[in-house]
Amino acid sequence: MLPGTGYTPAMSTPVSRRGFLKAAAVGAAATSCSHVSPKLRPRAPVAISSRNGIHAVEIAVRKMNEGLPPVDAAVIGIEGVENDPNDTSVGYGGLPNEDGVVELDSCTMDGPSGLAGAVASLRNIKNPSQVALKVMRRTDHVLLVGEGALRFARAHGFAEENLLTERARRRWLRWKEGLSDQDDWIDLSENGSHGKEYVDGHVERPTGTIHVGCVNDKGDIGGCTSTSGLAFKIPGRVGDSPLIGCGNYVDNDYGVAGSTGRGEAVILSNGAARIVRYMAEGRSPTDACLDALRDIARMTKVPRLLDAQGRPNFQVNFYAINKAGQLGAAAMRPSQHSRMTENGPEVMDSAALFGG
Ligand code: ASP
């Protein structure tokens, strides 16, 4: 019998998918409450994010206080950063791929339902996190990519626009011109010019992403990660951000974790799922993040990814909250994160595995 329904589904009786899902949802709701210990929940909603999410965490907590599920609160918090042309790592204004096209990745995960939705290599839609939420709520799938993700977004009425801002286009062009002296793209300095466009000199490939993890006062958990990915990536490259268990993971019994930084390292270690597993084993959120970073350091073997001391030469940031509402963050190298608790919004240092 499905708990709380008084209904025993007869397996031989054909049941429509909708009818079955409805009955199962009632059963799941009835059972999911039974093992929630009243001790395991924060006194008030809390949220954690990458450093660029100081406004996002504030908005997310406000939305949870208004009664929105944690995953929706995380997405609404992230929307403002996706819309901000000055954040060149997320959404509108994000740095493009090597062809000069912005491709966005995002995923959402909802603890109470255990469902997730994600999009990867999505073009022309500035809020991939909203599309990921729709994949989670309106399909039986988890991940849509490329053209299929765009068609799905169109079907749901998302507006298409050019996401490449002038600022991002100029940075891409300078990167392209500076790549090689063996091709026909001439770097301004090669022609003896020191024009205004060249003031920054060598163009770095900056990293950046936003992750927001949320736990409400019932102990329900949600998370979202959104990014334009590695700047100037090979078209079609997908990082950790839209991959469930890598850039974002939620288990409603234990907590939420997410990441920013070198996505390839987080994919290879299944970073977010690993951290939630460590919290399930009893580690604090910060210790869980640090242990996952140690694992990445142990698993990084090829010389091109190691510094002179044999440590990873790249940055990874992890963020986590456990079901009780304790927050933690750690990074391979010194870094900061944003959080919103009863103390209000704060930017704090993350624990660092290695010095600078
Ligand atoms: N993790 C993102 C990716 O690999 C990039 C970043 O956070 O900097 O796509």
Side-chain angles (χ1 to χ4, degrees), residues 244-310:
I244 297 299
C246 300
N248 181 30
Y249 194 67
V250 173
D251 182 325
N252 214 48
D253 288 337
Y254 300 112
V256 53
S259 65
T260 62
R262 184 178 159 79
E264 282 71 11
V266 178
I267 294 172
L268 291 170
S269 60
N270 286 193
R274 184 178 288 260
I275 292 164
V276 172
R277 173 53 39 204
Y278 283 156
M279 291 195 291
E281 290 170 6
R283 291 179 182 69
S284 72
T286 301
D287 284 347
C289 292
L290 280 168
D291 278 348
L293 290 165
R294 281 188 193 99
D295 291 338
I296 290 177
R298 178 176 56 76
M299 294 160 74
T300 302
K301 316 246 189 233
V302 294
R304 71 184 168 85
L305 296 174
L306 298 170
D307 67 13
Q309 285 90 53

Side-chain angles (χ1 to χ4, degrees), residues 16-27:
S16 76
R17 181 161 61 100
R18 234 161 236 155
F20 179 77
L21 290 176
K22 212 166 163 184
V26 174

Side-chain angles (χ1 to χ4, degrees), residues 18-73:
R18 234 161 236 155
F20 179 77
L21 290 176
K22 212 166 163 184
V26 174
T31 49
S32 71
C33 300
S34 57
H35 58 259
V36 177
S37 157
K39 283 187 220 137
L40 280 179
R41 58 180 73 176
R43 285 198 315 205
V46 291
I48 196 164
S49 77
S50 38
R51 169 71 181 81
N52 55 351
I54 187 67
H55 299 306
V57 286
E58 227 181 320
I59 293 167
V61 165
R62 189 164 75 235
K63 292 294 166 189
M64 284 189 279
N65 277 322
E66 289 169 12
L68 246 70
V71 67
D72 296 76

Side-chain angles (χ1 to χ4, degrees), residues 5-351:
T5 63
Y7 168 71
T8 306
M11 292 326 282
S12 55
T13 311
V15 182
S16 76
R17 181 161 61 100
R18 234 161 236 155
F20 179 77
L21 290 176
K22 212 166 163 184
V26 174
T31 49
S32 71
C33 300
S34 57
H35 58 259
V36 177
S37 157
K39 283 187 220 137
L40 280 179
R41 58 180 73 176
R43 285 198 315 205
V46 291
I48 196 164
S49 77
S50 38
R51 169 71 181 81
N52 55 351
I54 187 67
H55 299 306
V57 286
E58 227 181 320
I59 293 167
V61 165
R62 189 164 75 235
K63 292 294 166 189
M64 284 189 279
N65 277 322
E66 289 169 12
L68 246 70
V71 67
D72 296 76
V75 169
I76 291 175
I78 281 178
E79 203 177 356
V81 181
E82 289 174 333
N83 292 344
D84 178 1
N86 294 317
D87 191 318
T88 56
S89 68
V90 181
Y92 178 66
L95 289 171
N97 66 20
E98 69 177 18
D99 291 344
V101 178
V102 180
E103 289 184 333
L104 305 179
D105 299 336
S106 178
C107 77
T108 58
M109 189 157 183
D110 173 54
S113 66
L115 295 176
V119 288
S121 302
L122 177 64
R123 300 178 173 194
N124 299 351
I125 308 286
K126 73 177 170 196
N127 298 121
S129 61
Q130 294 279 2
V131 185
L133 199 61
K134 288 268 189 256
V135 172
M136 185 179 96
R137 294 250 162 84
R138 304 290 290 268
T139 78
D140 187 34
H141 302 320
V142 170
L143 173 62
L144 298 181
V145 304
E147 177 63 20
L150 178 58
R151 281 161 59 178
F152 174 79
R154 269 188 208 129
H156 279 277
F158 285 87
E160 282 181 73
E161 59 192 292
N162 177 15
L163 304 180
L164 187 69
T165 57
E166 270 304 286
R167 183 180 174 206
R169 186 191 59 77
R170 279 202 298 268
R171 282 175 80 176
W172 163 75
L173 192 59
R174 284 211 315 273
W175 168 80
K176 195 172 171 63
E177 287 175 343
L179 270 185
S180 166
D181 57 5
Q182 306 292 309
D183 63 19
D184 296 331
W185 294 83
I186 300 293
D187 188 288
L188 278 176
S189 64
E190 291 178 56
N191 273 346
S193 163
H194 297 282
K196 191 161 153 268
E197 290 195 24
Y198 199 66
V199 287
D200 294 346
H202 173 69
V203 178
E204 296 289 334
R205 299 178 71 189
T207 54
T209 289
I210 182 163
H211 165 76
V212 174
C214 291
V215 182
N216 71 12
D217 53 2
K218 297 191 197 75
D220 281 336
I221 307 171
C224 177
T225 302
S226 181
T227 191
S228 51
L230 181 68
F232 320 133
K233 60 195 172 187
I234 296 176
R237 176 266 188 187
V238 173
D240 56 327
S241 307
L243 301 183
I244 297 299
C246 300
N248 181 30
Y249 194 67
V250 173
D251 182 325
N252 214 48
D253 288 337
Y254 300 112
V256 53
S259 65
T260 62
R262 184 178 159 79
E264 282 71 11
V266 178
I267 294 172
L268 291 170
S269 60
N270 286 193
R274 184 178 288 260
I275 292 164
V276 172
R277 173 53 39 204
Y278 283 156
M279 291 195 291
E281 290 170 6
R283 291 179 182 69
S284 72
T286 301
D287 284 347
C289 292
L290 280 168
D291 278 348
L293 290 165
R294 281 188 193 99
D295 291 338
I296 290 177
R298 178 176 56 76
M299 294 160 74
T300 302
K301 316 246 189 233
V302 294
R304 71 184 168 85
L305 296 174
L306 298 170
D307 67 13
Q309 285 90 53
R311 309 174 305 186
N313 59 13
F314 51 82
Q315 178 65 304
V316 170
N317 291 271
F318 283 133
Y319 318 91
I321 315 178
N322 65 17
K323 191 169 178 71
Q326 295 168 317
L327 296 84
M332 201 66 88
R333 297 256 157 28
S335 183
Q336 294 187 311
H337 66 279
S338 298
R339 55 170 66 187
M340 176 75 182
T341 63
E342 284 176 297
N343 298 333
E346 294 170 289
V347 172
M348 291 183 62
D349 289 341
S350 303

